[in-house]
Amino acid sequence: MTKAEMMDKYFDSYGKRISSAEICKAVDSIFKINLDEIPILSKEMEGAVGVSFSTGNVLASREAMDVRLNQYDKEITGAEIRKVINEILGVNLDAISSLEGARISLYSKGQWVVQHEKDLFVVDTGAGDVDVKVYPTNYFTEQTGLVKLPTDLQHSLTSIGYSYDEKIGSYYFSNPTGEAVPDAFKGKTIGAILKVIQYSFSN
């Protein structure tokens, strides 16, 4: 059972209107992600939900979720809850769930979202998700002797807009608009990495 399915099962059995506090508790329990530490995605989103985020206001994300949840006139599904979380906080739990077992570590919003001992590559998103770094794990280097990404992955990432940054030793992309990198671009990044893992490191 995937983590998304576990979340669905949890809320299906909940049997009443759900609050942001219960959502945060479930996400922390199932995904090990603390939503209270994640700021609202954008000023536009703050205005849309009628709350403002300020440094140290850890309840802003809960307030924003409660405003959105109150717009539902029926019991909300796990899939709808994940959509709300992604819209407000930029945390795509469906995508995170799909990474289980993929051998890709994900560092986002200041915390490890997915990380396992034998992961091969890291996708690291910066503050506000406006930039992304991709680099090999220590395990990958220990197993292959390579300190850089495989050549085929370098080419794949370059083709979608990444460039190698020697200062940080990573392939790097920064959204020129200054906005969060779209989910579609993150999907292309993950897809490029998965393709290399499938063809070269699947045994």
Side-chain angles (χ1 to χ4, degrees):
M1 184 180 292
T2 67
K3 289 183 176 181
E5 289 169 340
M6 290 171 63
M7 184 176 178
D8 289 343
K9 186 175 181 181
Y10 177 86
F11 288 121
D12 285 346
S13 65
Y14 199 73
K16 60 180 180 179
R17 292 184 71 87
I18 196 75
S19 69
S20 62
E22 194 62 37
I23 290 172
C24 290
K25 179 181 176 183
V27 171
D28 191 25
S29 175
I30 296 169
F31 288 87
K32 310 302 181 191
I33 299 172
N34 185 349
L35 296 181
D36 287 331
E37 294 183 354
I38 301 172
I40 294 173
L41 189 60
S42 67
K43 294 294 182 184
E44 290 77 11
M45 183 59 67
E46 290 175 11
V49 297
V51 299
S52 61
F53 176 81
S54 59
T55 303
N57 181 8
V58 298
L59 295 179
S61 58
R62 293 194 184 199
E63 293 170 7
M65 280 191 282
D66 281 331
V67 169
R68 184 60 60 84
L69 292 170
N70 287 336
Q71 295 172 356
Y72 284 83
D73 56 4
K74 58 182 177 60
E75 289 184 6
I76 188 170
T77 66
E80 289 169 330
I81 290 170
R82 289 191 293 278
K83 182 179 179 182
V84 168
I85 291 170
N86 195 27
E87 287 175 353
I88 294 174
L89 302 177
V91 177
N92 189 334
L93 294 177
D94 285 314
I96 291 166
S97 178
S98 71
L99 285 180
E100 288 299 318
R103 306 188 77 184
I104 299 172
S105 292
L106 177 61
Y107 187 82
S108 181
K109 310 294 192 298
Q111 52 190 305
W112 286 105
V113 176
V114 179
Q115 186 183 36
H116 299 98
E117 183 182 356
K118 294 185 178 181
D119 287 347
L120 300 173
F121 306 107
V122 177
V123 176
D124 182 338
T125 61
D129 277 2
V130 297
D131 58 356
V132 189
K133 294 181 288 188
V134 180
Y135 50 91
T137 63
N138 290 335
Y139 177 81
F140 174 85
T141 299
E142 291 168 2
Q143 296 299 309
T144 66
L146 299 173
V147 295
K148 293 184 178 180
L149 297 176
T151 303
D152 47 354
L153 181 53
Q154 293 180 28
H155 292 324
S156 295
L157 293 176
T158 300
S159 72
I160 60 174
Y162 283 84
S163 59
Y164 185 69
D165 187 323
E166 291 189 11
K167 289 183 179 179
I168 59 176
S170 306
Y171 271 76
Y172 180 79
F173 174 84
S174 179
N175 194 345
T177 67
E179 299 175 340
V181 173
D183 280 347
F185 183 83
K186 295 176 187 176
K188 287 182 180 179
T189 300
I190 297 297
I193 298 171
L194 287 174
K195 186 175 181 180
V196 169
I197 292 175
Q198 179 182 353
Y199 282 105
S200 303
F201 304 99
S202 58
N203 55 0

